[in-house]
Amino acid sequence: MNLREILAISKIDKNELIILLCHVLNISKEELFTNDLEIDECHYSKINDLVKRRLAKEPVAYIVGKKQFYGYDFKVNKNALVPRPETELIVDYVLDSTFHDDEFNLIDIGTGSGAIAVSIAKNRKKANIFASDINLLSLNLAKKNIELNGVKNIHLFKQDLLQSVSTFYKFDFIVCNPPYISTTEYKNLEKDLHYEPKISLIAPSKGYFYLKKLIYEGKKYLKSNGKLILEHGHNQKGECVNFFLKKGYNNIETLLDLNKISRVTLGQNS
């Protein structure tokens, strides 16, 4: 069977099928389309098995075990969320706020795959970056991605939010993509998301528990003029801004994603 025939009969998105084909055949997208490939029975059987998994709504990133984020390759598995383009806003903001030779302290809370920390570390080699997670399996995944991307300035450790950090140690940046989905919202999510770890998605108090806790407790871990940067849901900007105001943060700002949706809110320590 050739490529055109497979593309014609597939029941999944064509772009997703191309990713699966490249994975099974171990070739690039360019190679896939520049060669007149005949796909043998063995490879076709493997591709068909992966297509069935995708039809069951398993995310493509979990099926192939990798995902690109900020232009870098990351290993992914069910122990961490699939890195998403919206989260790149956090990386953009930190990089836009600093220079290549800047030395600063940053901690990525709930690092998961390590995508945020690694992407910043790749571009700011003098930064002192910490990445933490409560899940040891997530930390193991982050360790693999640190090694995969060849970064040396990330320190991994296990903790719940900021519990293991001394208040004597101050950060220029605290960044986090915390769980922020309510139990009610979770029930109505696309089935793809139900494959991802619930602990990384669902938060008590209608989705605000971790956002509020980080805003209320994070200030004492920030240097003067240090910034707390949080990703949140599309409808959570107003409440997050209120939390920042109540705790006396300055220069509160909300960043929009490519769809002009409020996605990240930050505040500065006075």
Side-chain angles (χ1 to χ4, degrees):
M1 183 171 285
N2 61 37
L3 175 60
R4 184 178 299 177
E5 290 172 321
I6 290 178
L7 289 172
I9 64 173
S10 175
K11 296 179 181 179
I12 67 171
D13 177 85
K14 295 298 184 287
N15 291 322
E16 294 179 344
L17 177 60
I18 288 166
I19 293 172
L20 298 182
L21 284 164
C22 291
H23 174 67
V24 170
L25 300 173
N26 195 27
I27 59 176
S28 68
K29 184 177 177 180
E30 290 74 21
E31 290 173 308
L32 184 67
F33 286 102
T34 54
N35 294 299
D36 188 18
L37 290 172
E38 281 291 329
I39 298 169
D40 62 35
E41 188 175 333
C42 179
H43 281 130
Y44 178 74
S45 177
K46 290 179 181 178
I47 292 164
N48 197 42
D49 287 342
L50 299 190
V51 167
K52 288 178 181 177
R53 289 169 64 181
R54 182 61 191 132
L55 286 171
K57 298 302 182 180
E58 183 176 354
V60 172
Y62 286 161
I63 295 173
V64 301
K66 60 184 177 181
K67 177 77 173 179
Q68 273 216 334
F69 179 87
Y70 217 75
Y72 307 120
D73 290 327
F74 288 88
K75 295 178 182 293
V76 294
N77 60 37
K78 294 179 182 180
N79 297 309
L81 296 178
V82 176
R84 289 174 170 77
E86 295 84 356
T87 308
E88 293 183 359
L89 284 171
I90 294 175
V91 180
D92 278 335
Y93 187 88
V94 172
L95 297 185
D96 288 345
S97 303
T98 58
F99 297 98
H100 287 290
D101 57 352
D102 278 356
E103 295 182 24
F104 58 85
N105 295 336
L106 177 147
I107 184 167
D108 175 23
I109 304 292
T111 194
S113 66
I116 295 174
V118 168
S119 299
I120 294 171
K122 291 273 287 185
N123 290 278
R124 297 293 182 267
K125 299 189 186 306
K126 290 188 178 181
N128 193 31
I129 296 175
F130 296 83
S132 67
D133 205 290
I134 195 171
N135 186 346
L136 286 173
L137 294 175
S138 296
L139 288 173
N140 185 52
L141 177 62
K143 183 175 184 292
K144 291 177 180 178
N145 283 320
I146 289 169
E147 293 168 351
L148 175 66
N149 285 278
V151 292
K152 306 294 184 184
N153 54 329
I154 298 179
H155 314 279
L156 285 175
F157 64 101
K158 183 179 184 293
Q159 72 163 359
D160 183 9
L161 298 182
L162 286 158
Q163 285 184 354
S164 301
V165 179
S166 168
T167 53
F168 291 103
Y169 196 91
K170 306 292 184 181
F171 296 95
D172 297 282
F173 298 97
I174 298 174
V175 303
C176 183
N177 176 18
Y180 54 72
I181 295 172
S182 70
T183 304
T184 302
E185 288 174 319
Y186 182 78
K187 294 175 183 176
N188 298 319
L189 289 177
E190 295 178 3
K191 291 183 179 179
D192 302 47
L193 279 163
H194 288 194
Y195 278 87
E196 301 191 45
K198 289 177 71 172
I199 192 174
S200 301
L201 292 168
I202 299 176
S205 303
K206 298 181 180 179
Y208 288 103
F209 179 83
Y210 297 107
L211 290 164
K212 183 177 181 181
K213 191 173 181 65
L214 284 163
I215 293 169
Y216 274 51
E217 297 182 4
K219 202 163 186 278
K220 62 188 175 186
Y221 298 96
L222 287 170
K223 292 181 182 180
S224 177
N225 297 322
K227 294 180 178 179
L228 172 64
I229 308 170
L230 300 175
E231 182 172 334
H232 54 71
H234 66 93
N235 59 350
Q236 294 177 318
K237 170 192 171 182
E239 199 63 30
C240 285
V241 169
N242 287 336
F243 294 150
F244 275 111
L245 287 170
K246 286 178 182 177
K247 289 303 293 182
Y249 289 81
N250 298 318
N251 299 320
I252 299 164
E253 183 180 353
T254 296
L255 310 178
L256 306 180
D257 64 20
L258 293 174
N259 295 314
K260 306 300 180 184
I261 294 172
S262 300
R263 186 58 64 183
V264 171
T265 297
L266 60 103
Q268 186 174 40
N269 189 23
S270 52

